[in-house]
């Protein structure tokens, strides 16, 4: 199983970006999907998560600006980021709790990270 993230880049303050992350491999089921970020010198933090029920969770720092969604048919999770601020600059990582074809338990997988830079 592999996760491939894309969509990062340079954007001006107030701008928008959409991140995508697709899982590939022998997958039976995907439970929680999410996005984390890590800024230089800071700990990795949760940005958004979404369950199979489409229930979502956001920290106050991004609530109202970021929207997470999922396409179960494509094993893909998205993060729409609006009204971006310089403090949103970080490497963004996708995660998925996946039950693989050869596994008995769900395992958390991580994408390779995509850099988001918010600067004028």
């Amino acid at each position: 199983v592999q996760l491939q993230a894309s969509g990062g880049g340079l954007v001006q303050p107030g701008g928008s970006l959409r991140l995508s992350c697709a899982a590939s491999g022998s997958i039976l089921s995907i439970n929680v999907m999410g996005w984390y970020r890590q800024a230089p010198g800071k700990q990795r933090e949760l940005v958004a998560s979404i369950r199979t029920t489409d229930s979502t969770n956001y920290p106050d720092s991004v609530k109202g600006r970021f929207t997470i969604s999922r396409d179960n048919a494509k094993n893909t999770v998205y993060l729409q980021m609006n009204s971006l601020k310089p403090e949103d600059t970080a490497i963004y990582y996708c995660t998925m709790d996946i039950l693989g074809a050869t596994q008995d338990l769900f395992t958390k997988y991580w994408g390779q990270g995509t850099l988001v830079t918010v600067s004028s």
Side-chain angles (χ1 to χ4, degrees):
V1 175
Q2 290 186 326
L3 271 59
Q4 182 67 45
S6 61
L10 173 64
V11 63
Q12 292 186 341
S16 298
L17 278 177
R18 188 190 194 210
L19 306 182
S20 300
C21 177
S24 61
S26 299
I27 297 170
L28 295 181
S29 181
I30 303 178
N31 193 355
V32 180
M33 298 181 177
W35 291 91
Y36 285 72
R37 68 184 180 188
Q38 186 166 20
K42 295 188 176 181
Q43 289 188 331
R44 191 172 296 188
E45 63 173 350
L46 176 68
V47 174
S49 65
I50 183 168
R51 297 185 174 276
T52 55
T53 58
D54 285 338
S55 170
T56 58
N57 181 48
Y58 305 94
D60 288 343
S61 59
V62 307
K63 196 172 293 183
R65 300 189 297 122
F66 290 10
T67 302
I68 189 171
S69 60
R70 62 191 288 168
D71 185 333
N72 295 320
K74 296 181 179 180
N75 291 336
T76 299
V77 61
Y78 305 97
L79 185 67
Q80 178 67 43
M81 303 184 294
N82 299 328
S83 302
L84 283 161
K85 305 175 181 179
E87 51 263 44
D88 294 319
T89 295
I91 298 174
Y92 284 70
Y93 300 90
C94 58
T95 72
M96 296 187 190
D97 294 344
I98 296 175
L99 181 64
T102 61
Q103 298 171 320
D104 295 325
L105 299 173
F106 282 87
T107 300
K108 183 179 289 293
Y109 288 87
W110 292 82
Q112 84 283 9
T114 184
L115 178 62
V116 173
T117 303
V118 185
S119 175
S120 56

